[in-house]
Amino acid sequence: MMKPLHLALALHVCQSCFGGAAQAQPPMVSGVDRANFDAQVKPQADLYQAANGRWLKEAAIPADKSAYGVFIELRDRADGRVRKIVEELAASSHPAGSLQQKMADFYRGHLDEAAIDKAGSAPLAPWLAQIDEVKTAAGLARLLGQWQGIVATPLPVWVDADPKEPDTNRALLWQGGLGLPDRDYYLGEEARFTQARAAYLVYLETLFRLGGDAQPARSAASVLALERQIAQAQWAKVDTRDALKTYNPMTVAELAQAAPGFDWPVFFGAAALPSIDRLSVSQPSYVTALAALTASVPLADWRLYLRMRLLDARAELLPQAFREAHFAFHGKALAGQMEPQPRWQFATKMLNDALGEGVGQLYVARYFPPAYKERMQVLVSRLLTAYDQSIAALTWMGPVTKQRAKEKLAKYRTKIGYPDRWRDYSALSVRAGDALGNQARAGRFEYERLARQAGQPVDKAEWGMTPQTVNAYYNPGGNEIVFPAAILEPPFFDMGADDAANYGAIGAVIGHEISHGFDDQGSQYDGDGKLANWWTPEDRKAFDALTSQLVAQYNAYEPVPGHAVNGRLTLGENIADLSGLQVAYKAYHLALGGKPAEVIDGFTGDQRFFLGWSQAWRMKVRDERALQLLTIDPHSPTQFRANGAAVNHDGFHASFGTRPGDGMYKPSESRIRIW
């Protein structure tokens, strides 16, 4: 929640990227997949379409997916590997209480739909009883605390490094508890929002009916009305990504004064945080309004709401009718999927969520040789060197801020592949045949692990992703860039390819994550991970002027007619894309060592670099999912990530010789150059 996991591309590292003894090498290939080109489109007109047009015309999104592209192909590969690992575990016996037994039983339980159907709704009984016991305001506060990590509530608690004291963990409150993807779905009057609300109401009524409610339509309407009140109090997505606005430290006593009507001591006690000294309230006006709602809305309505949040959270672990209703809404209505994902893939996802580092140990041992980590460290070092040189060459920034930026960059921590110390799951109870209970216990186990860290020193070695996660991130509080093992893979990096396309893909990915430390939010943290201003007023003003141009550029893009990109919501990712591409280009030229790149497959080195960048963003998205992402995703649609960064790059225009009238042409004086 509080550590944005910034989308990157998969990567792998080839021998030619590094020095070392000369060895006989097969002829290099270009790394550019010409079979996917649209021969009728020139890169000068549309780089993304030129590199991917044939694939975009011919590829079909699998029925069980809302989108498809090379990134998702890589995720499917990682999931398939996890499946192989855990099915081998499940095929043999293991000592009771061992990590192997827990992983096997957890996976088998989620996979066994026949057993789930036979159990019916009985596994819900303990949680339904908790709801029935909510007879007072204090009882409501207690249950909202008890359900942290188990069921999404309107008051999610998290523990993370204090932005002003990055060496100490603190609790924080966030906004949440909605069944639709975002507040706009409750408040907006566009057709897509009204259609989603109608589908949601059908879903709520179905779940209530399946759950034995005597008046399912009335109960569904009550829940939707309450969630609308919650949504009205929530902050917009743009505001929730503001590091300064969302840092509001206070004691529990101060919170009780700011948000009266809610029993905060009871809530935090039940949330395994009985004695916190202070916390950050990320959206203060929301918490004040939510506290008032808990006092003014009848407890009967809150019990209906809690029942629905429980049924929604566990629908995929309930009998077939519940599972079908869950897919009809979440999969088909919201995302456009034609059929559910395979059950094995659902089971691997749940396993990764519950025992992720346990699985990760086996994944790394089988699929991530130590040499990969060493090679990756060298490549990251080259990108950091290029970024340092880029800072030194900036024309819009003064010397004082430049020096501070270079000092921050020098303090970057890099994590590659997997953690040095694995998480301990010995205290987690996993029971054979209890899929629903196992999921709930795993969620609470992880939450309580975090809760114990409140007020304690930050563990700098801890990871926010598992090794088998196909993603990467920058953590501002740790001033670190993190690349899990599963993203260090083809097809985003071709071991037999020339460096150019690889730097366009993998290099830009690494540069993207480095750049998050210098985007509109990451740039507000210093080299020690502290939320502190290290800019001169003049330089911050110049930076804001440049980023405002980027906002305007992306605001003009319309991936779906009548539905534009939100340039303010996507600003951080757009800065990272733009700057990552710039620094990767510089790193590529550093790798050339002053020697000219040879022409391969008819393309110069620079041309292969930009084609490699573009083909890495190949993606098809169903309309329903595309509209959803425009509301909730801080990333721009992939075609605009590819073209939006390239159109501002001097190297792109030089390598393809763009001219006025070309679709990708942008005059030099209009190009946006930030980092």
Side-chain angles (χ1 to χ4, degrees):
M1 180 184 61
M2 285 306 296
K3 291 184 180 178
L5 307 183
H6 302 294
L7 176 65
L9 299 180
L11 44 108
H12 193 57
V13 185
C14 76
Q15 192 70 32
S16 66
C17 292
F18 316 102
Q23 299 181 10
Q25 297 286 344
M28 288 289 100
V29 298
S30 70
V32 174
D33 190 351
R34 301 190 66 151
N36 291 322
F37 281 20
D38 184 339
Q40 305 303 313
V41 180
K42 295 181 178 180
Q44 298 94 314
D46 186 327
L47 176 63
Y48 180 77
Q49 191 69 30
N52 303 297
R54 183 175 179 181
W55 183 89
L56 292 169
K57 291 176 184 176
E58 297 179 356
I61 301 174
D64 66 309
K65 297 184 182 350
S66 60
Y68 199 61
V70 288
F71 177 82
I72 298 173
E73 291 172 11
L74 193 60
R75 186 198 66 192
D76 286 349
R77 176 193 296 174
D79 287 348
R81 289 173 170 177
V82 171
R83 179 190 189 184
K84 180 176 175 61
I85 289 170
V86 73
E87 288 188 349
E88 289 175 3
L89 289 177
S92 56
S93 60
H94 306 279
S98 67
L99 181 58
Q100 292 87 346
Q101 172 264 314
K102 292 178 181 181
M103 291 189 289
D105 283 350
F106 192 98
Y107 178 78
R108 277 191 296 241
H110 280 68
L111 200 62
D112 193 347
E113 292 177 290
I116 289 171
D117 290 341
K118 184 177 180 180
S121 300
L124 287 175
W127 290 276
L128 292 173
Q130 290 178 345
I131 296 172
D132 291 339
E133 291 169 3
V134 175
K135 310 280 188 187
T136 65
L140 176 60
R142 183 176 296 106
L143 187 55
L144 292 180
Q146 290 173 337
W147 276 11
Q148 296 298 316
I150 299 175
V151 176
T153 78
L155 285 172
V157 181
W158 192 255
V159 175
D160 204 357
D162 187 312
K164 294 284 189 178
E165 300 177 59
D167 291 331
T168 302
N169 282 310
R170 304 269 182 216
L172 61 86
L173 287 176
W174 200 257
Q175 63 186 28
L178 300 179
L180 285 163
D182 183 68
R183 67 188 292 273
D184 290 355
Y185 278 76
Y186 295 85
L187 310 178
E189 295 304 324
E190 294 181 27
R192 60 179 169 133
F193 294 139
T194 59
Q195 291 168 3
R197 286 197 296 270
Y200 185 47
L201 192 60
V202 171
Y203 175 56
L204 295 178
E205 184 175 346
T206 302
L207 289 188
F208 272 123
R209 185 178 66 255
L210 293 172
D213 191 284
Q215 296 179 301
R218 181 176 177 180
S219 296
S222 173
V223 170
L224 184 59
L226 177 52
E227 289 189 7
R228 179 179 174 84
Q229 289 180 277
I230 295 172
Q232 286 174 325
Q234 290 192 353
W235 289 17
K237 273 284 190 288
V238 170
D239 294 321
T240 61
R241 61 178 300 273
D242 190 306
L244 289 173
K245 285 183 180 179
T246 54
Y247 181 62
N248 303 285
M250 59 184 74
T251 65
V252 175
E254 290 169 335
L255 171 60
Q257 185 175 11
F262 186 78
D263 198 327
W264 291 106
V266 167
F267 170 77
F268 284 116
L273 293 165
S275 58
I276 53 175
D277 56 349
R278 66 181 185 274
L279 72 157
S280 178
V281 180
S282 302
Q283 296 90 14
S285 62
Y286 167 76
V287 172
T288 299
L290 197 280
L293 282 175
T294 64
S296 64
V297 173
L299 286 174
D301 289 350
W302 279 109
R303 286 193 294 269
L304 288 172
Y305 166 82
L306 292 168
R307 184 178 294 267
M308 183 47 52
R309 294 274 52 80
L310 174 65
L311 290 173
D312 182 36
R314 297 293 177 261
E316 291 175 294
L317 296 175
L318 290 171
Q320 183 176 354
F322 285 92
R323 300 195 298 269
E324 290 176 348
H326 184 276
F327 170 73
F329 174 64
H330 289 285
K332 192 169 185 179
L334 290 184
Q337 290 173 237
M338 304 305 294
E339 61 186 41
Q341 66 179 331
R343 189 69 183 184
W344 70 263
Q345 198 159 23
F346 166 74
T348 59
K349 179 183 185 303
M350 295 299 102
L351 178 64
N352 285 332
D353 288 347
L355 292 140
E357 288 198 10
V359 179
Q361 293 181 58
L362 302 179
Y363 187 97
V364 165
R366 186 174 298 189
Y367 298 112
F368 193 68
Y372 285 21
K373 189 167 186 173
E374 297 171 7
R375 295 175 179 181
M376 183 68 180
Q377 288 167 336
V378 175
L379 186 57
V380 171
S381 177
R382 181 171 287 162
L383 268 291
L384 289 168
T385 296
Y387 214 106
D388 184 81
Q389 294 177 359
S390 185
I391 292 171
L394 294 176
T395 59
W396 58 267
M397 180 180 280
V400 172
T401 310
K402 275 187 184 181
Q403 182 58 35
R404 292 170 182 167
K406 289 165 73 71
E407 290 170 359
K408 175 174 182 174
L409 186 70
K411 292 183 177 181
Y412 263 49
R413 292 166 51 99
T414 301
K415 295 178 179 177
I416 299 169
Y418 51 90
D420 296 326
R421 183 179 67 254
W422 297 105
R423 201 161 290 172
D424 180 8
Y425 296 99
S426 58
L428 173 61
S429 173
V430 176
R431 302 169 191 166
D434 185 16
L436 193 148
N438 287 337
Q439 190 179 95
R441 285 188 294 275
R444 185 67 179 188
F445 174 85
E446 172 61 14
Y447 169 76
E448 290 184 356
R449 184 189 70 83
L450 288 174
R452 288 193 296 271
Q453 297 178 8
Q456 300 300 310
V458 172
D459 182 356
K460 301 289 187 179
E462 191 167 273
W463 279 53
M465 287 181 178
T466 67
Q468 62 273 26
T469 301
V470 182
N471 212 326
Y473 66 94
Y474 170 76
N475 171 22
N479 194 30
E480 61 185 10
I481 48 177
V482 185
F483 302 94
I487 201 169
L488 311 181
E489 289 277 352
F492 295 100
F493 194 89
D494 186 344
M495 292 184 68
D498 173 69
D499 276 350
N502 289 323
Y503 270 91
I506 179 182
V509 167
I510 299 168
H512 174 105
E513 299 306 336
I514 295 172
S515 299
H516 271 306
F518 299 95
D519 69 19
D520 62 315
Q521 299 305 315
S523 64
Q524 299 185 68
Y525 294 80
D526 65 17
D528 296 319
K530 183 177 181 180
L531 186 60
N533 181 33
W534 47 271
W535 295 66
T536 66
E538 296 79 12
D539 289 336
R540 177 57 75 174
K541 183 177 180 180
F543 178 77
D544 289 344
L546 288 170
T547 60
S548 293
Q549 294 178 36
L550 205 61
V551 170
Q553 174 183 329
Y554 282 81
N555 277 342
Y557 293 141
E558 281 193 10
V560 179
H563 301 281
V565 174
N566 184 335
R568 184 61 61 183
L569 174 63
T570 58
L571 179 58
E573 299 298 332
N574 296 336
I575 293 172
D577 284 343
L578 173 63
S579 304
L581 186 64
Q582 295 279 2
V583 73
Y585 182 79
K586 292 181 174 72
Y588 168 56
H589 280 266
L590 285 176
L592 289 174
K595 298 178 181 179
E598 61 179 302
V599 174
I600 305 177
D601 288 349
F603 298 111
T604 67
D606 281 11
Q607 288 174 336
R608 297 194 302 277
F609 172 87
F610 290 106
L611 290 167
W613 155 259
S614 181
Q615 69 184 14
W617 291 113
R618 187 173 70 231
M619 181 75 73
K620 294 187 76 168
V621 185
R622 298 190 191 277
D623 289 345
E624 296 89 343
R625 180 62 172 163
L627 289 170
Q628 185 186 74
L629 292 175
L630 285 175
T631 304
I632 65 174
D633 192 1
H635 303 86
S636 296
T638 55
Q639 66 267 40
F640 302 119
R641 297 186 75 172
N643 285 353
V647 77
N648 288 303
H649 201 299
D650 295 337
F652 168 76
H653 293 281
S655 63
F656 287 104
T658 61
R659 299 178 180 179
D662 290 336
M664 292 285 292
Y665 177 75
K666 191 172 188 179
S668 177
E669 64 273 13
S670 300
R671 296 170 197 163
I672 304 168
R673 306 172 182 90
I674 302 179
W675 292 102

